[in-house]
Amino acid sequence: MRLRGVELRRVRMPLVGRFETSFGAEDDRDVLLVRVDTDDGDGWGECVAPNDPLYSAEYADGAQLVLERHLLPRVLALPDVTAEAAVAAMDEVKGHPMAKAALEMALLDAELRARGISLAEHLGADRDRVPCGVSVGIQPDVDTLLRSVEGYLEQGYVRVKLKIAPGWDTEPVRAVRERFGEQLLLQVDANCGYRPDDVPRLLELDEAGLLLVEQPFPEDDLQTHVELARRARTPVCLDETITSASVARHAIAVGACSIINIKSGRVGGLLESRRIHDLCAEAGVPVWCGGMLETGIGRAANVALAALPNCTLPGDTSASSRYWERDLITEPFELQDGMLPVPTGGGLGVEVDAERLAEVTTATTWCPAG
Ligand code: SMG
Ligand code: MG
C-alpha cells in the first residue's frame, strides 16, 4: 500500500454528562482523529489520549506533536506501508502508545477495507455481538448514583462498573449492591487512587461480592497489587499498569492480577492487544475490553476486540448514547438486549460522514508523503 499522506484532525464533542474519576472530571472530549490517504483508499483511526495527562502520561496535544514530528516521518518514508511495517518503524520511538495505536488503527482500517475483511475477523473474533457494561463516574451523592445506575439498567446494560476513590468507595458500593441485589454484575475501578496503607480499606470491598477491583494502586506499584491479590477475595484486575504484552506476562507471573483490561490505545495498538489476549488465554487469565470514551471510530475497534474468544467478561463498550447526544462522526452504536453488534463491513466497518464531521472539527493538519 502506498501512503500519500496523513490527516490529523481535532474534533470537539460535549459528553452527555460529566465523567468523574479518582484523577479528575471531563465534560467534553477534544479527540485526535487520524485519516490515512493510501492508493488503496482511506482509513480512520482514533487516538484515545485524553485532553489532559491525568489517566496516563499521554494527552491529545502531545500525541499530535509526537505524530507530526517523530512517528509520521518514519511511516511516511516507507515505500510499502502495512500496519505491521508501520508498527515496526515506530518502535524506536519510546512510549506514546496511544499516538502509535491511532496510526496503526487507521492503516489497519485502510488495509482491511481494501481487502473486504472486517477487523473482528482479522483479529480472530468468534462472536457477532458482545455484551456491554457501563462505567459510572463518581457522583455528587449516593441518591444520584442510584438513579444513574437504575437508568443504565433500564437501558439493558448487563454489568455496572463504579468509579471509586478514597472517600467514595465502601458506602456507594454497598448502597448499589443493596438496592439492585446479589445478581447484579458489579465491579469497581480506582484508577490508581489508593496507596499501600489503604489495603485494609479495600479488603472491606470483599463483602460486596464484586466481579473485580480494577487498578487500585499506581501503575508502577506492582508489589501492592500482589499484596492485595493475595489477601482479597475480590479478583484484582489491571488497567493502567498493562502497557505491553511483556508487562502483562510479568504481572501475571508475579500474581499482581488475575484479570486484565485491554485497551488498544494503552498498549500501542490492536496487534499488541491481540498478543495480550492470547497470552492471557494461555495463562487462564480472562480479559475484557476497556473504554476511553471513544467516538464511533474507536468504538468500532473496541467492539471487534471485545468479540475475541478470551474476552469473557462484559467490556466498557457502551452504546454511543452513553457518551454523546449525537455521535457526529459515525452511525451510532445502539444497544440491543444489552449487546452491541460487531461491525461486519471491511476494516472498522463504520462510515465517517464528512459533512457532519466538519461540524465538529476544530483543526486539520495535512502531512504529505515525500
Ligand atoms: O469508555 O465507557 C468508557 C469509559 C470507561 O471507565 C472507563 N475508562 O480507567 O477504565 C478506565 C476509564 C478511563 C477513562 S479516562 C478518559
Ligand atoms: Mg480503568
Side-chain angles (χ1 to χ4, degrees):
M1 194 162 76
R2 206 177 68 78
L3 188 53
R4 289 194 279 249
V6 176
E7 180 185 270
L8 300 179
R9 190 182 272 263
R10 298 296 283 273
V11 303
R12 184 167 281 278
M13 295 209 298
L15 291 166
V16 286
R18 165 168 287 210
F19 187 61
E20 186 171 337
T21 64
S22 65
F23 59 77
E26 282 188 89
D27 295 299
D28 56 21
R29 295 270 290 116
D30 173 11
V31 187
L32 168 61
L33 298 179
V34 175
R35 181 176 65 85
V36 296
D37 175 355
T38 82
D39 58 354
D40 276 351
D42 281 3
W44 286 92
E46 174 168 349
C47 179
V48 299
N51 306 5
D52 300 307
L54 303 176
Y55 164 81
S56 68
E58 276 188 291
Y59 63 110
D61 287 340
Q64 172 146 2
L65 201 63
V66 80
L67 275 160
E68 283 178 32
R69 294 224 183 131
H70 302 285
L71 302 175
L72 289 177
R74 286 172 166 82
V75 173
L76 287 165
L78 297 172
D80 180 26
V81 184
T82 60
E84 225 165 303
V87 171
M90 294 189 287
D91 192 49
E92 62 183 6
V93 175
K94 303 282 190 279
H96 303 284
M98 294 174 180
K100 292 173 178 172
L103 183 54
E104 185 220 51
M105 189 189 295
L107 289 167
L108 267 178
D109 184 33
E111 222 169 283
L112 295 173
R113 203 175 279 266
R115 288 161 56 201
I117 297 171
S118 72
L119 176 65
E121 189 185 341
H122 179 70
L123 293 174
D126 68 350
R127 273 166 289 162
D128 57 9
R129 46 193 210 139
V130 295
C132 296
V134 63
S135 172
V136 185
I138 293 170
Q139 303 295 314
D141 53 66
V142 169
D143 279 347
T144 313
L145 173 68
L146 294 176
R147 274 200 304 278
S148 171
V149 171
E150 183 170 36
Y152 288 128
L153 293 176
E154 280 168 7
Q155 290 170 49
Y157 287 103
V158 302
R159 177 281 267 156
V160 171
K161 159 166 136 179
L162 304 181
K163 290 293 191 181
I164 58 167
W168 178 263
D169 43 34
T170 47
E171 191 198 342
V173 169
R174 192 176 298 138
V176 168
R177 179 54 88 207
E178 273 171 16
R179 173 77 162 57
F180 301 102
E182 285 307 308
Q183 69 293 345
L184 173 68
L185 299 182
L186 184 63
Q187 63 192 54
V188 294
D189 184 3
N191 287 109
C192 310
Y194 291 83
R195 296 296 170 264
D197 285 355
D198 296 319
V199 167
R201 175 94 184 153
L202 289 165
L203 289 171
E204 289 175 33
L205 289 171
D206 274 349
E207 67 172 32
L210 301 175
L211 280 175
L212 58 91
V213 53
E214 182 179 342
Q215 196 72 44
F217 308 109
E219 59 187 43
D220 58 357
D221 184 359
L222 221 45
Q223 190 49 43
T224 310
H225 286 103
V226 172
E227 184 191 338
L228 182 69
R230 279 202 194 116
R231 296 175 59 188
R233 271 203 312 277
T234 309
V236 174
C237 169
L238 289 175
D239 172 357
E240 284 88 334
T241 295
I242 306 299
T243 49
S244 67
S246 87
V247 173
R249 191 174 295 114
H250 182 62
I252 294 167
V254 298
C257 64
S258 54
I259 298 175
I260 282 180
N261 164 335
I262 301 185
K263 290 178 181 165
S264 65
R266 195 194 63 229
V267 305
L270 290 155
L271 302 174
E272 187 73 355
S273 299
R274 173 74 223 221
R275 282 192 280 275
I276 295 176
H277 167 277
D278 293 354
L279 79 86
C280 286
E282 253 171 61
V285 169
V287 300
W288 54 282
C289 182
M292 292 292 284
L293 311 168
E294 286 88 348
T295 75
I297 296 174
R299 191 159 308 285
N302 286 350
V303 170
L305 195 58
L308 294 187
N310 191 37
C311 284
T312 49
L313 292 163
D316 285 342
T317 48
S318 306
S320 305
S321 61
R322 185 255 171 269
Y323 313 90
W324 324 107
E325 213 62 75
R326 264 175 79 212
D327 185 328
L328 288 165
I329 297 173
T330 66
E331 60 274 28
F333 281 83
E334 285 166 0
L335 220 54
Q336 299 166 2
D337 297 325
M339 318 271 272
L340 284 187
V342 180
T344 53
L348 294 172
V350 286
E351 297 309 318
V352 172
D353 182 321
E355 257 172 54
R356 289 190 309 167
L357 180 61
E359 282 179 45
V360 281
T361 297
T362 55
T364 309
T365 307
W366 171 247
C367 309

